[in-house]
């Protein structure tokens, strides 16, 4: 099982998709006919459904594998849309002042400088990413960004498990998350089993980003308003941030 397929399987079994889409739209529906950038489009989860409903969304992702999965999923839905392959550090120069709304979902931000290895410069890389999001926005534009929930952020040990039967196969996904506050590092160890056989085992790393630190970085980047909002069916805490 490759990473995009694993990622898509995990989010599909861990979310109520229809409820989450309603929750997301409750916050962004006023931008439906404006310029939107999804800068962490991944396999197209939710984003492709929004495009199918008429949302004007430009998509980008830094992973070639995710882009291939996105295009395949878009084609299956009859949509002709392809994401730009861009790192977050490239967005400001590529789309200066272009968007009314920038979306960074899936708690993607905390992986800006990590993912497959720890990185001591995570904080600076995250700040650079947020600055690029700022540069992409029109004056008065809004950044939609989510991150680890306040009830989970300081847990030294977190264990998540989801089991579901899909297309005749038993999917068993478990993930252990450990926290090292001194190194400001969260370590994720997912295991995916299909019919009791391990098909994917991996270790990834993210930055420990308390909400106060996130708010400070956003302020340092020039955002003038940081508002935490409730999105039904979302596991993460969501912030709407105004330029």
């Amino acid at each position: 099982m490759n990473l995009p397929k694993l990622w898509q399987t995990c989010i599909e079994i861990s979310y109520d998709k229809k409820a989450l889409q309603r929750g997301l739209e409750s916050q962004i529906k006023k931008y439906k006919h404006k310029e939107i950038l999804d800068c962490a489009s991944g396999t197209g989860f939710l984003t492709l459904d929004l495009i199918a409903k008429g949302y004007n969304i430009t998509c980008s992702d830094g992973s070639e594998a995710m882009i291939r999965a996105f295009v395949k999923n878009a084609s299956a839905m009859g949509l002709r849309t392809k994401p730009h392959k861009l790192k977050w550090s490239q967005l400001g120069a590529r789309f200066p002042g272009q968007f009314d709304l920038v979306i960074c979902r899936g708690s993607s931000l905390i992986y800006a400088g990590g993912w497959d290895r720890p990185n001591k410069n995570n904080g600076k890389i995250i700040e650079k990413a947020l600055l690029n999001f700022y540069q992409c926005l029109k004056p008065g534009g809004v950044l939609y960004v989510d991150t680890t929930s306040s009830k989970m952020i300081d847990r030294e040990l977190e264990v998540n498990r989801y089991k579901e039967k899909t297309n005749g196969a038993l999917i068993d996904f478990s993930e252990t998350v450990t926290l090292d506050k001194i190194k400001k590092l969260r370590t994720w160890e997912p295991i995916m089993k299909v019919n009791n056989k391990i098909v994917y085992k991996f270790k990834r790393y993210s930055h420990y980003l308390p909400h106060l630190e996130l708010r400070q970085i956003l302020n340092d980047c020039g955002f003038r308003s940081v508002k935490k909002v409730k999105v039904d069916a979302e596991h993460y805490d969501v912030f709407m941030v105004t330029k």
Side-chain angles (χ1 to χ4, degrees), residues 184-201:
K184 297 185 73 65
L185 185 70
R186 301 182 87 211
T187 302
W188 308 67
E189 297 183 74
I191 299 175
M192 173 73 79
K193 295 180 182 180
V194 177
N195 294 331
N196 298 314
K197 180 181 178 181
I198 294 177
V199 296
Y200 198 93
K201 189 175 182 179

Side-chain angles (χ1 to χ4, degrees), residues 113-133:
W115 187 257
D116 58 347
R117 64 189 183 279
N119 191 323
K120 294 180 180 179
N121 296 315
N122 276 340
K124 292 181 179 179
I125 296 171
I126 287 173
E127 183 172 0
K128 187 174 182 180
L130 289 168
L131 182 59
N132 272 263
F133 300 165

